Each structure stands twice: as structure tokens, then as C-alpha cells.
């Protein structure tokens, strides 16, 4: 009893299985560009006589012949392959002419095989031309009862024209389709110039030509693919802008990238519109029909079509890459091919086919010439031949006597015996002589094809040129004249000042700063945002659309968005909930937000919490903010983050508490820490007090500390009145708090030229000039800034910088 190694046996079995999948199922042959299932389908149709000039046959008949004779697999797999060869949106040159429902770009399934009918496409006849002339090798089918071709004697460089895709064991292929005319032009150029470079071939074959059209760019990736076998080309849907009545516009998508499901694309666009990632779309319709694709987006008045088109390219598969991997079976093994390799292998196949065909035809011609020579002898001695035959006792005796008398071969003697009497007429004699002359010329030509490489080359060239002249069609995929860079919507969004508001319940919006007109101190304000009765605005920021907004939650996490990604809304709109924009945990709220251009080196984030804890951390540690957020600092369970400021190491800080106290100390007293650190004590708080604001002391300028209370009071106080202390002290009075003033809601630095924007719990906004606010000492309660309705308080405020406050 012999023993075997299980490990070695499994390795060998898996290797054989892998090769079987690679060679026999998933990877196309470089010569005819077909996988075995496609080759067997076409050969079965050929055997059935299911050609382009004959009636259609039921698909089930073809599938039955394929699985019964050549392909021992499921009928569904064979029918799927048959269907794909009939889809003009899958194949650049369909190989099957289908009648019935063969699916759609929307991913609709084809009708069952018993309902559809097929026949070969006209081009497919050139795949099987001369197959009966011993042009290719045949092998036994799976049960050794029939034979099938190992490869088709195709005149068509199908590997490049229709491309291929497939996944095998440990490897895959993904070859794009190309234009037939361009591919044949490149093939002829290589035939005439065997040393041609890839660049020279690309003059004739500039790139893929997809059946669904679309625009192409990324030529360098394409050159890399043609040079090495691996690379990529970018596809971009063709979009038009249509003018409508009333100065309205519509975006119409006329072509989509190859391989994209149209229904899924429409659903994706609809989802983006619903999520308000794409705004300005009034209606979305798919008006596609048998004449082509037509996806219509009606735009709202004032929407910039170019911006929305760029958003479509950025957020949907309307702009996508085709990754090229030119892997094919060469000599029974998978090989990565360059463009030149693919064309050269096809030409080598054509040489072999033409030579084998010529040898086959030469043998036939020589055999016919041999017979004609015998017939000529018989006609020259017709009387003697007739007498000899009449004198013979049997056909066998007549044949023997003819061979002995005239030196004929068995075949010649038999042909004479089979000759009809009508061949003895003068016309038939002349036809016989003419045929003999033509056969001799044919023999001479075929011998020149076999023996002279130049004649062989001219034959291949003529056949390719005829194929091109008959089947070439215009290119569908056009190259963009200018290579677009990475799509950045920001490039066409104006960098404009906006007001960003966040409510207590987490609703956020951005509004142009221009909608808030400047008023005098003491005014009643204008309605800035309508919120629910139990909601009110807590945060207001002025920024520009190209800035980042860094959000810091009460739990110490950081999130980040571009300002233009925030929902734009009218002055009275509530906006969109932050939960739809940020990945917030349950119970997590945004405690602070700040605008910035970039994370500068040498800068620090300064964190301060309700209980007076502070922390300083380098800003570069916060550059890579994930969509799920980033830990900004570790929080004690009973504490919460109040605010974050950007500081330099030589800055000074002022912390302000709700009970009207403040402390000023150097930032350097707070050592730089890591992101996950908790921090140190910044201010010793009295009972019931809590930090509400922090400001960075400027090194020079005319700014004062502006303090605002909940009761609508405020004042500007010279910074000189706030003496520097050591970190961790209890601080000094900043504002005298009374029942009328209410607690301090915040503080900031203000210049006389600044405008102040205040929000009330009633959802009203008032904008006043800072120079209208009195400059008072630390221990005063300030002056009235806004006249509040009963039961309402000031909940937030911010500065509108001088350059945007006009």
C-alpha cells in the first residue's frame, strides 16, 4: 500500500484546478480574443448553420447544442455569455445578432432563452472563415464523441476590439474595447513595420473606444498600460446644458462610463440630492429610450450648472477609472501583454492560419491539376480510349488497361471512366483547357504565398484592409483636449464671507453675511433663524466658504468639514441637523467650532473646559481628521469642553467665567501635550461658577475685551486693566453681574471698526458696530446692546470683521 503526502497532493490538485480556470474558463486566448465558452457558442452556431444571412434560431436551441456537445456546464452560464455577445452596450462589435429582450443598461435581466432568438452577426462570419480548411487544430470534446477547435481562425483582432474581463485564481484580466478601424490600422502598421514602437502604434490606435461612448482622459496612465500591460484610463460621462424658458437650465447626461449601471447612477444622484450634498436640483428624470441615454436634471433658478456638473463628476460614478490589465493566454500560459505584444500575437496567428489554408488549397489544386492532366490525355486520344473501354470486360479491367496504355494514375483513370459524354464537345474541351490553366496559375500563387514572406504579408494586409473597409465605424469615445485635474468643487465656488449658526438642538446652516444689514446700537434686530420653541441658537461664526470648520464636541472629539459643505439656507431657515453631517455618538453635542485655513506648524490649539481645565497641543497633530472623528483631548466624566483657540507659544490667554471673573496668564505656563492628554488647571473657580469664554491677548492694536451678558448688556474694556497672573488662580472681576445683566455668555476681542452680531433665544439676530459699545472699566455692568423680549436672553455672539461689515 503506497503512501502519499496530503500537502503535495493538495498543492498539485489546486495547481491543476488553477490552470483549468485560467486556461479553460476565465482568461481569453490572445489569438481570437475569446474564452472557451464564447468560442464554443460561435462554433455551435456555425455547425447549426445559424449564420447572419439565415433565419434566427431560438436561443435555447443554441444553448442546448453548446452544453450537449462542447461545454459541460450549466445552461444559465452559457446563456449569460450568449446574451453578452448580443448586447451593443457590452460589446463594441456584437458577435451575435439577437432578437428579443437581451437586457439593458439599467441592469434588467434578459428574457428567458425560450423567448429570445439569435444568429451570428455579419462580422462573426470572419471569425470562422476557412475553419474547414485545416487552418486550426481540433481537439476532442469532453466525452470524446466530437471535436472542437482549439482556437478560431479569425481575421478579426478581437482581443482588443471587444476587450475582455475575467477573474481567475490569483490573477485577473481587464482589457478595454477598441475601435475596429483603429485597431486594424495599428495592426497593418505593425505588419509593415515590425520594429514599430508603442508610440507609433498609438498614432493609429490612440486608446479605448467604449460602446457607451463617454469622454476619456488620463493619457499617461493609458501609455503605461500599452507599454507594460497595466495602467488606467479615466472615463467621464458626456453632459450638456440645455436652456429652458424663464432663464432656467437643465443638465442632460447623454453618455455614461462603460460598465456603469444607469439605474444605479440615477439612484445615486437622487440620494445625493436628498442628502443635500448636491443642491439646486428641482427635478430628476430618466428619459432614456431606444435612441440613447437621456438623464435630465432640472435646475432651480440661480443654480450654477458648471458647479453642479463638477459635483456630479466628483460624487457619482459619472467620472470613474477603467483599470487596464492586459492578461491573455499565450501558448497555453497566461501572459501580461503590451499593445505591441497583443497585435504581434494576432499577426502570428494570421500567418499560421493563412499558411495552413494555403497548404490545404494547394493540395486541393494539385489534386485537381492531376485529374485535369488525365482528362486532357483522354481527350487527345478519345477514339482509342473509347475503343479500349468498349473492349474491356469490366470497369476494373478498363481502368487497368488505361493506366497501362497511357501511364495514368488510379485517380486519373477513374476520372476518365466517370467522365460524361458531354465533355467531348468542343466547348467542354475548351473549358477543360481553361480550367487547367487557371489551376496551374492558382498553384503557382499558393506556392508563392507559402514560400515568399512578402506575398504572405500582402495577403494578410489585403484581408485586414477589406475587413476595415467593410466594418469600421466612427469612434464613440472622444478624448478631452485638456486633461482635467482632480475635481475640486472649491475651484469654482467663490470665497465669500458667510455666517454659520448652530442651535442648541444641533441644527446648522450657512448664510451670506450680506443679508444682515448693519443697525444702530439698541435696535430690535431682524429675524435670523426660525427654530423650534424649545430650541435656540448657541454658536455663531463668521467665516468664508473656502475655510475649514473644526467642530469640537463636549466629549473632546474633533470633526472637520469645509464651509461650503455646510448646508446653505435662507436667513429664516432652520438648516440641517449636524447628525446628518458628522458621525456624532449618542448624547454628543458640538461645544465649540472654529474656522481655519490650514493647520500651521508652530501653532497650538488651546482647549478650556467648564471646570477651568486647559490644555495646549500642536495643531499639526490634528491634520488627519477621520470621518468618524478624532480624539482632541481626554475629558473627565463630570467636565465638558467649552472652547478651543489657536495660539502661539508666546501668547497670553484670558479666561472669562459666567459669574464675571477673569484670569490672564502666559500660554507658555501650559506645557504642550499630546492629543489624548487631559490638561492642567487654568482657573480656580468659585462655587457655582464655570468658564464661558477664552481669548488670546493681542501683542498690539486698538482692541478691547468685549464682554456680553445674557440680559443683553455689554461693554468694551481696555486690556491693560487685566493684569497678568499665574495660571490656576481665582482671577479678578471682569463684569459686575446683576439680575438685570444676567450671567456672562461670552467675551471676545473687538476693534472699533468691527461689527458685532448677536443672537437671542427668540432666534433674532442684531448686527451693530463695535464703536457704538461704550468703553468701561472692569467692575461695571456695561450698556444695553439689544432690547430683549420678555423671557428671552442673548445666547451667542461673534464678530463680523471690518472688511466684510460694510
Amino acid at each position: 500500500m503506497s503512501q502519499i503526502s496530503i500537502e503535495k497532493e493538495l498543492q498539485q490538485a489546486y495547481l491543476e484546478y488553477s490552470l483549468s480556470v485560467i486556461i479553460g474558463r476565465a482568461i481569453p486566448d490572445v489569438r481570437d480574443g475569446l474564452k472557451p465558452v464564447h468560442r464554443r457558442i460561435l462554433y455551435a452556431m456555425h455547425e447549426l448553420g445559424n449564420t447572419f444571412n439565415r433565419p434566427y434560431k431560438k436561443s435555447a436551441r443554441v444553448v442546448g447544442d453548446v452544453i450537449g456537445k462542447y461545454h459541460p456546464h450549466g445552461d444559465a452560464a452559457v446563456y449569460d455569455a450568449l446574451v453578452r455577445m448580443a448586447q451593443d452596450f457590452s460589446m463594441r462589435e456584437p458577435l451575435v445578432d439577437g432578437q428579443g429582450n437581451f437586457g439593458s443598461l439599467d441592469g434588467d435581466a434578459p428574457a428567458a432563452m425560450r423567448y429570445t432568438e439569435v444568429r451570428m452577426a455579419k462580422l462573426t462570419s470572419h471569425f470562422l472563415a476557412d475553419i474547414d480548411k485545416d487552418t486550426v487544430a481540433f481537439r476532442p470534446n469532453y466525452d470524446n464523441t466530437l471535436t472542437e477547435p482549439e482556437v478560431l481562425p479569425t481575421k478579426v483582432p478581437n482581443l482588443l476590439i471587444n476587450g475582455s474581463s475575467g477573474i481567475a485564481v490569483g490573477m485577473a484580466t481587464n482589457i478595454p474595447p477598441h475601435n475596429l478601424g483603429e485597431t486594424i490600422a495599428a495592426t497593418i502598421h505593425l505588419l509593415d513595420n515590425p520594429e514599430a514602437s508603442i508610440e507609433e502604434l498609438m498614432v493609429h490606435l490612440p486608446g479605448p473606444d467604449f460602446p457607451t461612448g463617454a469622454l476619456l482622459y488620463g493619457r499617461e496612465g493609458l501609455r503605461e498600460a500599452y507599454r507594460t500591460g497595466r495602467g488606467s484610463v479615466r472615463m467621464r460621462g458626456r453632459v450638456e446644458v440645455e436652456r429652458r424658458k424663464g432663464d432656467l437650465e437643465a443638465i442632460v447626461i447623454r453618455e455614461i462610463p462603460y460598465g456603469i449601471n444607469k439605474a444605479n447612477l440615477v439612484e445615486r444622484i437622487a440620494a445625493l440630492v436628498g442628502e443635500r450634498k448636491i443642491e439646486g436640483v428641482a427635478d430628476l428624470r430618466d428619459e432614456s429610450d431606444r435612441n440613447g441615454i437621456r438623464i435630465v436634471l432640472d435646475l432651480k433658478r440661480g443654480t450654477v450648472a458648471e458647479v453642479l456638473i463638477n459635483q456630479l463628476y466628483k460624487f457619482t460614478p459619472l467620472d470613474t477609472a477603467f483599470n487596464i490589465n492586459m492578461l491573455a493566454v499565450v501558448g497555453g500560459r497566461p501572459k501580461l501583454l503590451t499593445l505591441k505584444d497583443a497585435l504581434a500575437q494576432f499577426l502570428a496567428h494570421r500567418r499560421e492560419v493563412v499558411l495552413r489554408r494555403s497548404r490545404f488549397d494547394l493540395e486541393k489544386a494539385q489534386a485537381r491539376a492531376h485529374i485535369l492532366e488525365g482528362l486532357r490525355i483522354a481527350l487527345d486520344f478519345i477514339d482509342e480510349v473509347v475503343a479500349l473501354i468498349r473492349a474491356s470486360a469490366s470497369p476494373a479491367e478498363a481502368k487497368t488497361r488505361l493506366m497501362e496504355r497511357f501511364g495514368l494514375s488510379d485517380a486519373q483513370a477513374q476520372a476518365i471512366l466517370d467522365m460524361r459524354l458531354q465533355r467531348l464537345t468542343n466547348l467542354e474541351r475548351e473549358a477543360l483547357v481553361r480550367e487547367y490553366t487557371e489551376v496551374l496559375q492558382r498553384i503557382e500563387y499558393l506556392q508563392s504565398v507559402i514560400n515568399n514572406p512578402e506575398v504572405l504579408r500582402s495577403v494578410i494586409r489585403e484581408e485586414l484592409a477589406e475587413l476595415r473597409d467593410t466594418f469600421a465605424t466612427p469612434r464613440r469615445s472622444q478624448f478631452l483636449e485638456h486633461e482635467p485635474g482632480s475635481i475640486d468643487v472649491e475651484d469654482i465656488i467663490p470665497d465669500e464671507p458667510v455666517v454659520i449658526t448652530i442651535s442648541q438642538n444641533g441644527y446648522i446652516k450657512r448664510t451670506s453675511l450680506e443679508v444682515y444689514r448693519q443697525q444702530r446700537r439698541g435696535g430690535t434686530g431682524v429675524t435670523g433663524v426660525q427654530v423650534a420653541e424649545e430650541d435656540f441658537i448657541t454658536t455663531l461664526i463668521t467665516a468664508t466658504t473656502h475655510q475649514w470648520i473644526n467642530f469640537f464636541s463636549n466629549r473632546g472629539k474633533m470633526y472637520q468639514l469645509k464651509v461650503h459643505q455646510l448646508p446653505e439656507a435662507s436667513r429664516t431657515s432652520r438648516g440641517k441637523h449636524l447628525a446628518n453631517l458628522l458621525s456624532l455618538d449618542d448624547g454628543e453635542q458640538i461645544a465649540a467650532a472654529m474656522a481655519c485655513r490650514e493647520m500651521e506648524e508652530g501653532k497650538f490649539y488651546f482647549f478650556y473646559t467648564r471646570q477651568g481645565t486647559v490644555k495646549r497641543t500642536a495643531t499639526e497633530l490634528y491634520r488627519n481628521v477621520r470621518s468618524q472623528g478624532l480624539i482632541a483631548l481626554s475629558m473627565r466624566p463630570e467636565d465638558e469642553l467649552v472652547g478651543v483657540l489657536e495660539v502661539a507659544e508666546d501668547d497670553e490667554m484670558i479666561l472669562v467665567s459666567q459669574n464675571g471673573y477673569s484670569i490672564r496668564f502666559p500660554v507658555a505656563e501650559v506645557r504642550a501635550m499630546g492629543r489624548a492628554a487631559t490638561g492642567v488647571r487654568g482657573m480656580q473657580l468659585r462655587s457655582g461658577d464655570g468658564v464661558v469664554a477664552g481669548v488670546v491677548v493681542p501683542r498690539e492694536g486698538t482692541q478691547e475685551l468685549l464682554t456680553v451678558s445674557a440680559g443683553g448688556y455689554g461693554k468694551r474694556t481696555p486690556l491693560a486693566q487685566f493684569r497678568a497672573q499665574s495660571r490656576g488662580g481665582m482671577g479678578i472681576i471682569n463684569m459686575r453681574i446683576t439680575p438685570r445683566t444676567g450671567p456672562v455668555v461670552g467675551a471676545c476681542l473687538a476693534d472699533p471698526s468691527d461689527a458685532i452680531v448677536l443672537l437671542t433665544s427668540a432666534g433674532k439676530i442684531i448686527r451693530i458696530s463695535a464703536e457704538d459699545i461704550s468703553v468701561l472699566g472692569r467692575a461695571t455692568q456695561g450698556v444695553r446692546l439689544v432690547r430683549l423680549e420678555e423671557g428671552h436672553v442673548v445666547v451667542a455672539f461673534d464678530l463680523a470683521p471690518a472688511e466684510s461689515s460694510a
Side-chain angles (χ1 to χ4, degrees), residues 20 60 103 128 153 167 198 200 225 245 259 283 302 348 430 493 497 599 620 739:
S20 173
L128 293 132
I167 300 174
I198 298 293
E200 291 172 347
K245 294 181 180 179
D283 190 24
E430 291 175 4
I493 293 179
M599 306 297 187
E620 56 261 30

Side-chain angles (χ1 to χ4, degrees), residues 338-363:
T338 66
L339 175 62
K340 185 174 180 179
D341 291 339
L343 296 176
Q345 290 290 340
F346 170 75
L347 286 174
H349 177 55
R350 283 306 299 158
R351 289 189 182 94
E352 178 68 18
V353 167
V354 173
L355 284 173
R356 292 182 64 153
R357 181 187 69 191
S358 299
R359 294 189 186 106
F360 180 89
D361 288 341
L362 179 61
E363 290 178 3

Side-chain angles (χ1 to χ4, degrees), residues 516-529:
Y516 301 111
R517 66 183 187 276
Q518 186 160 307
Q519 302 174 35
R520 299 293 297 175
R521 177 175 64 83
T524 59
V526 296
T527 301
V529 59

Side-chain angles (χ1 to χ4, degrees), residues 676-689:
T678 302
V680 296
R681 176 173 294 175
M683 184 176 186
Q684 179 72 41
L685 297 172
R686 295 163 175 81
S687 177
D689 203 358

Side-chain angles (χ1 to χ4, degrees), residues 89-90 103-108 212 256-257 259-264 293:
F89 54 86
S90 294
S104 72
L105 268 173
D106 291 327
D108 299 320
T212 54
I256 63 176
I260 298 301
N261 184 300
K262 178 166 63 66
N264 291 344
I293 295 172

Side-chain angles (χ1 to χ4, degrees), residues 512-730:
S512 174
L513 186 62
E514 295 302 316
V515 303
Y516 301 111
R517 66 183 187 276
Q518 186 160 307
Q519 302 174 35
R520 299 293 297 175
R521 177 175 64 83
T524 59
V526 296
T527 301
V529 59
Q530 291 181 350
V531 294
E533 189 172 332
E534 67 278 5
D535 197 9
F536 58 90
I537 299 298
T538 57
T539 303
L540 180 142
I541 303 171
T542 57
T544 62
T545 48
H546 285 198
Q547 287 184 298
W548 289 100
I549 289 292
N550 296 328
F551 297 94
F552 298 89
S553 76
N554 58 340
R555 295 183 178 177
K557 290 184 71 175
M558 176 183 174
Y559 304 88
Q560 193 177 68
L561 289 174
K562 279 285 189 177
V563 171
H564 62 72
Q565 292 178 304
L566 302 178
E568 185 175 16
S570 65
R571 180 163 51 83
T572 58
S573 173
R574 181 170 65 170
K576 190 174 185 178
H577 201 277
L578 278 166
N580 295 321
L581 303 173
L582 306 176
S583 301
L584 298 175
D585 296 330
D586 291 340
E588 189 176 14
Q589 297 178 346
I590 296 302
M594 60 185 296
C596 73
R597 288 281 177 186
E598 58 184 15
M599 306 297 187
E600 297 181 14
E601 293 187 10
K603 292 285 188 177
F604 299 87
Y605 279 142
F606 191 93
F607 301 86
Y608 53 94
T609 72
R610 183 74 62 191
Q611 294 184 354
T613 298
V614 295
K615 190 188 83 163
R616 178 167 63 96
T617 305
T619 57
E620 56 261 30
L621 297 180
Y622 299 89
R623 282 177 177 163
N624 300 317
V625 181
R626 299 182 296 272
S627 60
Q628 298 299 316
L630 191 73
I631 295 176
L633 77 162
S634 297
M635 300 292 304
R636 296 184 177 91
E638 67 280 2
D639 202 0
E640 63 176 351
L641 183 66
V642 173
V644 185
L645 295 167
E646 191 176 272
V647 300
E649 192 164 9
D650 55 350
D651 281 336
E652 287 187 323
M653 280 290 304
I654 295 179
L655 297 181
V656 177
S657 75
Q658 64 185 30
N659 287 348
Y661 289 92
S662 66
I663 184 171
R664 175 174 176 175
F665 58 87
V667 166
E669 290 191 4
V670 182
R671 63 179 177 84
M673 307 175 192
R675 274 196 305 105
T678 302
V680 296
R681 176 173 294 175
M683 184 176 186
Q684 179 72 41
L685 297 172
R686 295 163 175 81
S687 177
D689 203 358
V691 173
V692 294
V695 299
V696 180
V697 179
R699 294 177 176 80
E700 56 184 23
T702 59
Q703 293 177 312
E704 294 98 5
L705 184 69
L706 171 65
T707 306
V708 178
S709 71
Y713 283 77
K715 63 176 180 175
R716 289 186 291 147
T717 305
L719 292 172
Q721 295 190 17
F722 298 89
R723 68 179 188 275
Q725 298 176 272
S726 296
R727 172 184 63 81
M730 301 184 70

